[in-house]
Amino acid sequence: MIARVSPRALGGTVGAIASKSVAHRLIIASALADAPTHVICNTTCDDIEATARCLEALGARVEAIHDGFMVTPINRDALPATPVLDCGESGSTFRFMLPVACALGSEATFTGATRLAERPITPLTDELYVAGCDFEGIGTFPLRTHGTLRPGVFELPGNVSSQYISGIMLAAPFMGRTTVIRVHGRIESKPYVNITVDALKAFGVKVSEQTSTDGTERMTVYTIEGSGYKSPHTVAVEGDWSNAAFWLCAGAMGRSPITVTGLSLSSSQGDRNILGALSRFGARIKRTTSSATVQPDKLVGFTMSAHDIPDLVPIIAAVASVAEGRSVIEDCARLRLKESDRLETVTSTLVQLGAHVAIKGDDLVIDGQPELAGGTVDACNDHRIAMMASIVAMRCADDVVITGAQAVRKSYPLFFNDLRTLGGSVYLEEV
């Protein structure tokens, strides 16, 4: 699909879509629980559908209903003999479902997109191997699992994907005895682990967290009881800060305020820190208990770390590209392991549109200017690149044409509809 987005001022109010990060975890917990669960979820997307599809392959029933999903749990005594779990392009699905399938003792085959197979997995499979599982095809698809995951002590470095920690956490309550996860060093993207802890607690799982320092090394120890998931019967997926950030940033970059409703200011989602980042740029922020409004003002660059908020880097880079002065976004190494190498694709996309962006080691250095030129860019099969280019179009002299714009379906299928709701002009062409 090709999207042609014309320069238009955006403004108004839009509702937040459901957080796919939260939805993954609540749907998995529901499928492992002791009774059916109604998961209230106001939207879905390709990644959420991938998790639902994998759970159904293991014997759960994930029925789409008017306000979300009704999930009937897996019957562990009647598992399919050789299930095939198609993860699509969802890294969360793959890294969560792999330990879950192993905890079930399923002889499963995992498939998915080529880029997903290339993303790192060995820190996780190494720990699963020590705990009784074996694998055929690591680093490619299909990947086959053998054996049953044993509870015990798992050791993981903190400087790898937080999804490894979350995956073992999601499997732990189903293993019958207490599981301990020892994480060495500072945890990358720790807010995502906090979301997992919240999901476990919603299903009655006891989780404790302790931190200590041994010499110069920080250690975080999670202890998860293996007493199983107890369905709360109904759970709700909160609004998504990651995707709301695109509209909030548009509010900062434009001439009129933009409000996003359906957001929790007390959320564990790390990406709610977008409000702090925009405040530092100079935008004006208004908050209520369930919404956020960003009003434009003079934007000035600053230096920040992406350590806990890697998914915000594309849209923050877009804001920086039209802010006065220099912005530096540090600690971006993990962006190389996303749907695309986002250090490269954020840079190349903005440069093609006329921005001044450079990569310095693991940092992005951006010198802002009042207006970009516009032009044609490739979304690189990355939803956040497609959305970033669509938003920055409002500050371009000419249209922005995005090839591969269908990438938004991964997390936000109705993105272009909401862009129009806020006054955007977009023409979509299927190719």
Side-chain angles (χ1 to χ4, degrees):
M1 182 171 70
I2 296 173
R4 179 180 290 274
V5 185
S6 299
R8 292 287 188 279
L10 303 181
T13 299
V14 66
I17 65 170
S19 166
K20 73 183 181 78
S21 296
V22 175
H24 283 304
R25 292 156 170 83
L26 292 182
I27 293 171
I28 290 171
S30 300
L32 299 175
D34 60 348
T37 304
H38 175 197
V39 181
I40 299 171
C41 185
N42 69 1
T43 50
T44 188
C45 63
D46 286 354
D47 279 11
I48 294 173
E49 296 294 337
T51 291
R53 183 170 62 241
C54 289
L55 291 167
E56 290 196 314
L58 290 170
R61 184 179 180 190
V62 185
E63 179 185 4
I65 56 176
H66 70 286
D67 63 349
F69 302 94
M70 180 59 68
V71 183
T72 303
I74 294 166
N75 181 352
R76 194 167 187 173
D77 295 325
L79 290 174
T82 54
V84 177
L85 280 64
D86 178 7
C87 301
E89 297 179 354
S90 175
S92 296
T93 301
F94 184 34
R95 290 165 173 169
F96 294 169
M97 291 305 305
L98 188 60
V100 166
C102 289
L104 290 167
S106 175
E107 299 284 311
T109 298
F110 283 82
T111 65
T114 301
R115 172 75 182 176
L116 179 57
E118 294 170 353
R119 293 168 70 177
I121 195 69
T122 51
L124 177 59
T125 53
D126 285 351
E127 285 301 295
L128 301 182
Y129 178 79
V130 171
C133 297
D134 201 1
F135 305 94
E136 298 176 45
I138 293 175
T140 186
F141 286 132
L143 169 66
R144 296 179 176 84
T145 68
H146 305 284
T148 301
L149 191 63
R150 298 188 300 263
V153 178
F154 295 83
E155 308 274 353
L156 287 169
N159 63 350
V160 295
S161 175
S162 65
Q163 292 172 352
Y164 304 152
I165 303 167
S166 290
I168 295 173
M169 281 185 167
L170 290 165
F174 217 57
M175 288 195 279
R177 298 201 313 272
T178 297
T179 293
V180 175
I181 305 172
R182 292 158 48 94
V183 186
H184 301 263
R186 184 181 177 186
I187 300 175
E188 292 277 349
S189 304
K190 188 174 186 292
Y192 288 99
V193 179
N194 297 340
I195 294 172
T196 307
V197 172
D198 288 348
L200 296 181
K201 290 181 176 179
F203 281 77
V205 178
K206 293 182 179 179
V207 183
S208 68
E209 175 185 348
Q210 294 181 316
T211 58
S212 62
T213 302
D214 181 10
T216 59
E217 183 182 62
R218 179 188 177 100
M219 174 83 73
T220 306
V221 180
Y222 296 97
T223 304
I224 306 105
E225 288 196 356
S227 53
Y229 288 94
K230 297 175 178 60
S231 174
H233 303 296
T234 300
V235 290
V237 179
E238 64 183 53
D240 184 60
W241 280 97
S242 300
N243 284 313
F246 288 91
W247 308 127
L248 297 172
C249 287
M253 296 165 66
R255 295 194 295 270
S256 301
I258 292 179
T259 298
V260 183
T261 60
L263 295 171
S264 170
L265 272 294
S266 60
S267 172
S268 292
Q269 295 177 59
D271 288 349
R272 67 186 174 90
N273 288 316
I274 188 61
L275 296 182
L278 290 175
S279 180
R280 291 186 66 187
F281 272 117
R284 290 175 288 161
I285 313 295
K286 291 185 178 180
R287 302 170 175 86
T288 71
T289 55
S290 61
S291 69
T293 301
V294 176
Q295 296 179 312
D297 209 330
K298 180 180 179 180
L299 302 178
V300 179
F302 69 100
T303 298
M304 61 167 285
S305 170
H307 188 276
D308 285 332
I309 52 170
D311 287 341
L312 292 182
V313 169
I315 193 58
I316 288 177
V319 176
S321 72
V322 297
E324 183 179 299
R326 172 166 288 189
S327 297
V328 180
I329 308 176
E330 300 175 335
D331 306 317
C332 295
R334 291 214 54 76
L335 269 69
R336 297 190 184 281
L337 307 175
K338 296 292 184 176
E339 284 81 352
S340 65
D341 178 343
R342 282 193 188 145
L343 264 179
E344 295 289 345
T345 54
V346 166
T347 301
S348 62
T349 300
L350 290 175
V351 166
Q352 284 176 265
L353 296 176
H356 298 153
V357 186
I359 301 170
K360 302 292 185 183
D362 292 329
D363 304 338
L364 286 177
V365 179
I366 305 163
D367 291 310
Q369 53 193 316
E371 185 179 70
L372 305 186
T376 298
V377 295
D378 184 352
C380 300
N381 200 37
D382 192 325
H383 53 135
R384 299 198 191 279
I385 299 302
M387 292 189 283
M388 176 194 73
S390 300
I391 296 299
V392 83
M394 66 188 294
R395 293 291 295 267
C396 291
D398 294 316
D399 291 354
V400 172
V401 178
I402 307 160
T403 61
Q406 70 276 3
V408 300
R409 296 169 187 160
K410 178 176 171 61
S411 66
Y412 200 161
L414 297 179
F415 173 80
F416 291 114
N417 295 47
D418 286 349
L419 181 65
R420 293 188 180 107
T421 296
L422 293 173
S425 173
V426 55
Y427 172 76
L428 301 178
E429 179 184 357
E430 296 290 346
V431 293

